[in-house]
Amino acid sequence: MKKLNTQMITTIGILMAIEIVLSRFLSINIWSNKIGFAFVPCALCAVLFGVGPTVILEILADLLGATLFPSGAFFPGFTLTAALRGLSYGLLLGKEQTPVRIAAVTLFNNLVLGLGLNSLWISILYGSPFEALIVARVVQCLILIPVEFVVITAIVKFGKRVVK
């Protein structure tokens, strides 16, 4: 992890604000499905700063977003998912960004965390059948996987130019 300095803290704060806006206001939200670009600040933070700051960004963005702009009942499982998302982005994109790593982080976040874990949290929170949620949320994954891969690839190119 890079040494914490004022510029890093400021950048993470700006990325956090952007993520909250993208997640809470500029996403398509249909009950159990959410389609948007809230992954962009997380990916950029991972490329620029690595694992630790990305995990912190995701946890704080989830907690602040849920506190300031609630869109339902607070459930700590979603914060756990956010932390795991930050961890996966940081581990897979923090040091080396290859198409294989980008594909891995995209698939992991959409299939394991989004389709699996978040569906479990929604099932627990609202009492919905888990299997039905999986079926309903597959469309979200089919839309987001290619979009995220293309956008993250562009972020990596941008991030490398910024770091130079």
Side-chain angles (χ1 to χ4, degrees):
M1 185 170 103
K2 294 181 179 179
K3 186 177 177 185
L4 197 62
N5 60 37
T6 306
Q7 182 179 4
M8 182 188 291
I9 293 169
T10 304
T11 304
I12 292 169
I14 291 168
L15 290 172
M16 188 183 324
I18 292 169
E19 181 166 334
I20 291 169
V21 169
L22 289 173
S23 176
R24 302 289 171 168
F25 303 112
L26 300 176
S27 295
I28 298 170
N29 234 350
I30 305 169
W31 191 67
S32 69
N33 293 318
K34 183 184 258 187
I35 297 173
F37 290 93
F39 65 91
V40 171
C42 181
L44 187 56
C45 187
V47 171
L48 295 175
F49 304 122
V51 178
T54 308
V55 172
I56 292 168
L57 165 75
E58 288 299 293
I59 291 171
L60 291 177
D62 183 72
L63 292 173
L64 280 172
T67 303
L68 297 174
F69 311 105
S71 59
F74 174 76
F75 187 74
F78 294 116
T79 306
L80 173 62
T81 301
L84 293 172
R85 183 174 48 249
L87 181 66
S88 66
Y89 273 104
L91 289 173
L92 289 167
L93 299 180
K95 295 191 187 239
E96 183 182 1
Q97 303 89 22
T98 64
V100 172
R101 286 174 169 262
I102 295 169
V105 76
T106 301
L107 290 170
F108 178 78
N109 280 293
N110 280 285
L111 298 177
V112 175
L113 298 182
L115 189 61
L117 206 50
N118 278 346
S119 296
L120 176 63
W121 303 144
I122 293 168
S123 175
I124 291 169
L125 191 58
Y126 296 109
S128 304
F130 179 74
E131 296 80 11
L133 282 170
I134 293 289
V135 171
R137 292 169 54 87
V138 164
V139 174
Q140 172 184 323
C141 287
L142 292 175
I143 292 169
L144 285 177
I145 288 171
V147 170
E148 284 187 24
F149 181 82
V150 169
V151 172
I152 291 171
T153 301
I155 288 169
V156 165
K157 290 179 184 176
F158 171 76
K160 287 181 180 177
R161 284 198 336 224
V162 168
V163 171
K164 286 184 181 179

